[in-house]
Each structure stands twice: as C-alpha cells, then as structure tokens.
Amino acid sequence: MLTLIRLVFAVLAGITCCIAGWAGLHALGVQERPRAAGPADVAVPEAPIATQKPALAPLRAVVDASASRQPTATSGSLTVALRGERPPFALTLQLRRGWSAAPLCTRIVEASNSIGGGNTESVTFPNLPAGEHLLYLVAGNAATPDSYLVRMPVSIPAPGAPIEIDVGVASLLVRVRDAADRAVPRALVQLSRPDDPRWIAPLPSGVTFAAPLTDAQGDVTFAPLGAGTYRVSVIDDPTAAIEVTLPAQPEVTLRLTATK
C-alpha cells in the first residue's frame, strides 16, 4: 500500500515538472515549430490610389507659315529712257536699294545701239519691289557702281511715264601748278561728287585703274564722267580746291599756295 502511494506521488511530480518546463519555455519565447503561412496570413500591400491624369490640351491646327506671309508688293515695271550722244562703249543700268547693296536688276545697253541722233533707248525693269531705290548708269559693264555716270533716287511704284536720263559723257582734265606756275608732278588729286564723298578714280583709255596722281606735266584726266557738279582738290594743299560743272568745264587748273 505504501508503495502504491509513492508511485502516485511520483507520477504527479513528473506531470508537474513537465507542465512547469513547458511554461518556462513558453515564457522564454520558444514555441513549437511554426507552420507554413497560408494565403490568408500573407499581408497584401494596398494598391496606390490612382491619380487622375490631366486632360491633354487639344491639338492646334497646323498653320502653313507660307500661307500667312504677305507676298512682296510689286508695282509692275520701271521704264528708263536714255537720251543724248551715243557713247563709244556699253552702258549698264543698275537698280539698287542702297549704294552698297547688290543690284536688284541689271540691264546692259550695248555700244552698237544708237542713242544719239534723236533716237531713244528704253530699258524696262519688270516686277520691282515697292520702296525707295537708287538707279545707276555705269560706263561699260562694271559690276559695281563705284564710277558711275548718273545716280538718281527712284520710288516704286513709279510714275507711268518713263524716267529720262541724259547720257552726257564727259571728261575732266585737272592741271596742278605751284605758286611759280610750274607743273607739279605726282600730286594726289581728289575728285568727288557733293553728295558722295567717295573718290572717283581716273580711267584713261586702255587703263582699267590708275591712281589719281598727276603725270610729269602736272596733269591728270578723269573719264568718263556724267554731267553734273564735282569737287576737285589737291590733298597736299587744302586751299587748292574748286567745284566744276560738267560738261561745261572740261579743264581746270589748281594752284598751290606754296612752292614745292
């Protein structure tokens, strides 16, 4: 009987120890082997709230830039009538917006065409842009109007009647003398127009370009020149200056105030 009681107490003590051990392990955070997580245990991140995109601006209609440009205003044509004695060389008419601008139009009148003897040579420039222009009459077929016979402003639209230009080709002989009336060679002579300060180079027959210096006889010739007023002076002596009118004054003498 005593042995049975001891056995019961031993079993109860064992059970008590097991319960106490399990409780201690549970307190320390040691649990049984975790089971695999199921679909219900997986946290699914919330989908971000979709922001509404702003509405796109309506496409503008494509505009043809060329259609919006205004066409260049034109006023028909400009007719130039050349009168006067027939020159022994070709003439060139040039229309420019400015003296340094490229020619808008160029027309060459050959030397074989008769201008004198009551005849008139007419040249027409068609489809010109509106505005203020410069009309040049150049000796020969020069590409630049540096040595021109006539320069005159014209307005487009032009009057119905032709613009008349007198082809008065002339030359100017300049003699430079000192106070003792002796020839002054290699004197630098400036010839220019009152409305154009650029120098006019002498163009003697057979020479394409020459410096405006007097020769051994103290003379220098400027040709061809158009009719009009010119200013001629000697660079070494500012007092030796005079205005001449062509073709009325084909020769002029400039006298220096001091003997060289």
Side-chain angles (χ1 to χ4, degrees):
M1 184 67 176
L2 182 60
T3 304
L4 179 62
I5 295 174
R6 290 178 179 176
L7 180 62
V8 171
F9 275 107
V11 172
L12 291 176
I15 294 174
T16 302
C17 290
C18 290
I19 294 174
W22 180 87
L25 293 176
H26 183 74
L28 294 175
V30 179
Q31 299 179 353
E32 61 182 354
R33 182 179 181 181
R35 60 182 178 85
D41 299 324
V42 178
V44 179
E46 296 183 359
I49 300 176
T51 57
Q52 185 177 2
K53 295 183 179 180
L56 296 177
L59 293 177
R60 296 182 179 180
V62 178
V63 179
D64 186 1
S66 61
S68 62
R69 298 192 189 104
Q70 296 295 331
T72 303
T74 58
S75 58
S77 60
L78 171 67
T79 301
V80 180
L82 301 178
R83 300 180 183 276
E85 294 298 327
R86 175 184 175 183
F89 45 77
L91 296 173
T92 300
L93 278 169
Q94 294 179 345
L95 193 66
R96 298 171 177 254
R97 286 192 179 274
W99 69 267
S100 62
L104 295 174
C105 303
T106 300
R107 296 290 186 276
I108 297 177
V109 181
E110 299 295 341
S112 59
N113 293 334
S114 177
I115 297 178
N119 296 325
T120 301
E121 183 74 15
S122 296
V123 179
T124 300
F125 296 94
N127 302 324
L128 298 176
E132 301 298 323
H133 301 72
L134 290 176
L135 179 64
Y136 286 89
L137 178 64
V138 184
N141 55 0
T144 60
D146 295 334
S147 298
Y148 53 86
L149 301 176
V150 177
R151 184 185 70 176
M152 60 185 304
V154 294
S155 298
I156 306 298
I163 296 177
E164 295 187 359
I165 295 180
D166 185 12
V167 185
V169 179
S171 62
L172 177 63
L173 172 62
V174 180
R175 304 182 186 275
V176 181
R177 301 293 183 264
D178 62 13
D181 200 26
R182 294 175 298 190
V184 180
R186 298 193 62 79
L188 184 60
V189 178
Q190 178 184 3
L191 181 67
S192 61
R193 297 172 175 85
D195 60 343
D196 190 347
R198 290 178 297 171
W199 290 29
I200 300 175
L203 296 173
S205 177
V207 180
T208 57
F209 177 80
L213 296 172
T214 56
D215 57 16
Q217 289 73 39
D219 301 338
V220 60
T221 300
F222 295 86
L225 299 173
T229 301
Y230 296 82
R231 186 179 187 276
V232 57
S233 61
V234 179
I235 299 302
D236 294 337
D237 191 345
T239 62
I242 193 175
E243 285 192 353
V244 297
T245 302
L246 297 179
Q249 298 173 266
E251 295 184 13
V252 64
T253 301
L254 299 179
R255 299 189 181 278
L256 306 181
T257 57
T259 303
K260 293 182 68 69

